[in-house]
Amino acid sequence: MGGLIGAAVFRIFYFGIFCGALAAAGVVWFVPAVDQHREPSLISVEANGGNREVFHINLPQDRILAGMAGVETVPAGLEWPASGTLADAQAELFKIRDAHDIVVGVASRMAGSGAATGSVIEWTLHLPARGSLYATMQPAAGNDGYRSGTLRAGTREFADLGGRVFERYYDVGEAAASGLAIDSRIELVTALVSTLEPDE
């Protein structure tokens, strides 16, 4: 008699595990654990078959962090290393916005110089649900006010792309939709093309 009761208990136990696994699978299927919102990409097609996208940073509101020797840091009280090798180095972190002024990611800007490379500016943009891209730029701006750079690496949708990245800084002096004043703006323009060989 005891053996029959024990067998029935084990059957009920395993049936409960099976039903619980089915219920968990159903919940995961119909209610995703992560439902990350993605703003539509505002991309225009270039005549050469590539694509162009424009981002911008509103200053000072979109500056998250800024460090450089001899200047006020953001956030206040941030201790910038006093090492002589970092005397002319600058690191900044920003929120980046699309053409509709919606925050779509974050970007870091590193500037400095080295004996082997000379002066250089590096941008890394991360766009959630899309990927990241890394570009280097020459420090001198052209007559049009833009610094020109090259896309060096990318992930996800930027992994098979190459091309140019441009940076421009300019004064704005206007009020944002939030009512906060915008002193200046950094504009970033990507002009990218596929690096994959076309199918024969």
Side-chain angles (χ1 to χ4, degrees):
M1 185 72 176
L4 292 175
I5 294 175
V9 168
F10 275 114
R11 287 192 189 97
I12 294 171
F13 175 73
Y14 288 124
F15 181 74
I17 291 177
F18 176 73
C19 290
L22 285 179
V27 168
V28 171
W29 179 265
F30 292 106
V31 184
V34 176
D35 186 15
Q36 191 173 37
H37 174 71
R38 171 179 170 170
E39 290 292 329
S41 304
L42 304 177
I43 299 173
S44 60
V45 179
E46 298 285 85
N48 66 353
N51 62 62
R52 181 176 186 270
E53 196 165 2
V54 180
F55 304 98
H56 68 269
I57 298 161
N58 294 330
L59 298 174
Q61 288 78 20
D62 291 339
R63 182 181 280 118
I64 301 169
L65 179 145
M68 185 178 182
V71 300
E72 185 178 352
T73 58
V74 177
L78 175 69
E79 294 186 9
W80 187 251
S83 170
T85 57
L86 297 175
D88 65 343
Q90 182 178 357
E92 296 177 279
L93 183 65
F94 307 99
K95 294 180 284 188
I96 53 175
R97 301 174 182 268
D98 62 11
H100 291 163
D101 208 40
I102 297 172
V103 175
V104 292
V106 293
S108 68
R109 183 183 189 272
M110 307 288 288
S113 62
T117 60
S119 297
V120 68
I121 294 173
E122 300 178 346
W123 277 98
T124 303
L125 280 66
H126 176 66
L127 308 172
R130 294 184 62 188
S132 302
L133 55 88
Y134 167 74
T136 57
M137 296 184 174
Q138 295 299 319
N143 295 331
D144 57 359
Y146 283 96
R147 289 189 177 96
S148 176
T150 303
L151 178 65
R152 300 294 184 184
T155 64
R156 300 183 70 178
E157 72 177 62
F158 304 104
D160 298 319
L161 299 178
R164 308 292 291 168
V165 180
F166 304 92
E167 171 202 330
R168 179 171 67 113
Y169 173 87
Y170 58 97
D171 293 327
V172 178
E174 65 182 35
S178 61
L180 299 174
I182 301 171
D183 297 332
S184 54
R185 181 171 286 166
I186 299 174
E187 183 180 72
L188 294 170
V189 181
T190 62
L192 308 176
V193 295
S194 175
T195 58
L196 297 176
E197 293 293 333
D199 294 334
E200 296 293 338

